[in-house]
Amino acid sequence: MSVVPAEPVESPEPAWRQRAVERSTRAAKLRAEQRVQRFLDAAQELIADKGTTDFTVQEVVERSRQSLRSFYQHFDGKHELLLALFEDALSRSATEMREKLSTVTGPLDRLKVAVDLLYDSSTPREGQQSPLFTDFAIQLLVSHPDQVATAHLPLLALFTELVEDAVKAGQAVTPRPRRTASLIMQTAMFTAQAPAAPVGAQPSRIGAEDVWEFCLGGITGAGQATGGDESGTQKVAATKKAAAKRTTAKKSAAPKGATRTKA
């Protein structure tokens, strides 16, 4: 019997070669990540120094002590660099928010804390400039709304989970949790950035608590003021009880002669 195969057999790549290639790839990836981070750090420093996003690519290259060629190997231009900073900031914000929520119990309580945190982080600080959000983000919203939506995905994923948890617990009602989460986020962020609204004779700033009451009313129907000492769960229970009473009242008011249709 011949030990030589009739057909040529492709020999597998040696394990040592695979390990060498993987090690080389990991090293190249690490170097690339380090170069990218140096560009990001340089841009962040320039924004802090200037108080604006009005800087040049050459300034970033010089501040990072890298080459222009290296910059364009990783970024198409300044816009993509700023977009990377914007996405990174929102991603870190979502991570920090998750950590703070880890100690909060109760679906509605977790959602309320998330709204408060998002409102607070979106509120302009007197004497503190955030040109990446006040300048670049606003321009981006007009020119590239799809990129803004993509940058907010980490936060949207978090808020969607919170809304879904509230629905599963029977404390909220919404047929589209992701869309509801998006509306809650936009309400908190844009209200925090808006100037004081005219309420009565004097302008009055809409606070985080007002935003939460509004959002709570949207997902439970129980957001109206009830004395200020009821929890979200109690409000939901009160809403369900009121709905049951209305249903009973309607049945009692039905004509006596009404007949039921047999199934």
Side-chain angles (χ1 to χ4, degrees), residues 216-250:
L216 182 65
I219 60 176
T220 67
Q224 295 78 10
T226 55
D229 57 351
E230 280 192 309
S231 67
T233 302
Q234 290 174 320
K235 289 180 179 180
V236 173
T239 301
K240 290 182 177 179
K241 186 174 181 180
K245 286 183 178 180
R246 287 196 296 270
T247 301
T248 303
K250 287 182 180 179

Side-chain angles (χ1 to χ4, degrees), residues 18 33 43 46 60-61 68 76 89 91 115 154 157-158 182 242 251 260:
Q18 294 179 10
E33 290 176 349
L46 285 167
V60 174
V61 169
L68 190 62
D76 286 339
S91 180
V115 169
L158 171 59
S182 178
K251 289 182 179 180
R260 296 182 179 178

Side-chain angles (χ1 to χ4, degrees), residues 18-31:
Q18 294 179 10
R19 290 194 298 271
V21 171
E22 290 174 0
R23 188 177 297 111
S24 175
T25 302
R26 286 198 301 270
K29 181 180 179 182
L30 178 60
R31 288 194 297 271

Side-chain angles (χ1 to χ4, degrees), residues 87-218:
E87 290 181 350
D88 187 56
L90 290 175
S91 180
R92 282 188 284 105
S93 178
T95 299
E96 292 170 2
M97 196 175 292
R98 282 185 183 278
E99 292 174 355
K100 292 178 180 178
L101 290 174
S102 63
T103 60
V104 182
T105 58
L108 279 183
D109 290 332
R110 284 166 56 82
L111 184 57
K112 181 184 186 304
V113 171
V115 169
D116 290 344
L117 290 172
L118 184 59
Y119 181 95
D120 182 67
S121 65
S122 302
T123 302
R125 300 289 194 275
E126 186 175 356
Q128 295 183 11
Q129 296 178 321
S130 301
L132 190 62
F133 290 89
T134 57
D135 298 340
F136 176 72
I138 294 176
Q139 296 172 8
L140 193 67
L141 186 60
V142 175
S143 60
H144 298 82
D146 54 329
Q147 293 181 350
V148 174
T150 299
H152 281 87
L153 284 179
L155 278 172
L156 179 58
L158 171 59
F159 272 81
T160 300
E161 290 173 18
L162 295 174
V163 172
E164 289 175 340
D165 288 345
V167 171
K168 290 177 183 177
Q171 297 181 3
V173 178
T174 174
R176 294 180 291 181
R178 184 182 176 88
R179 187 173 184 82
T180 298
S182 178
L183 289 170
I184 291 174
M185 283 177 55
Q186 292 182 58
T187 301
M189 289 188 295
F190 288 109
T191 303
Q193 296 170 11
V199 179
Q202 298 294 329
S204 175
R205 182 168 181 78
I206 299 174
E209 193 65 30
D210 300 311
V211 172
W212 170 243
E213 287 294 330
F214 177 78
C215 294
L216 182 65

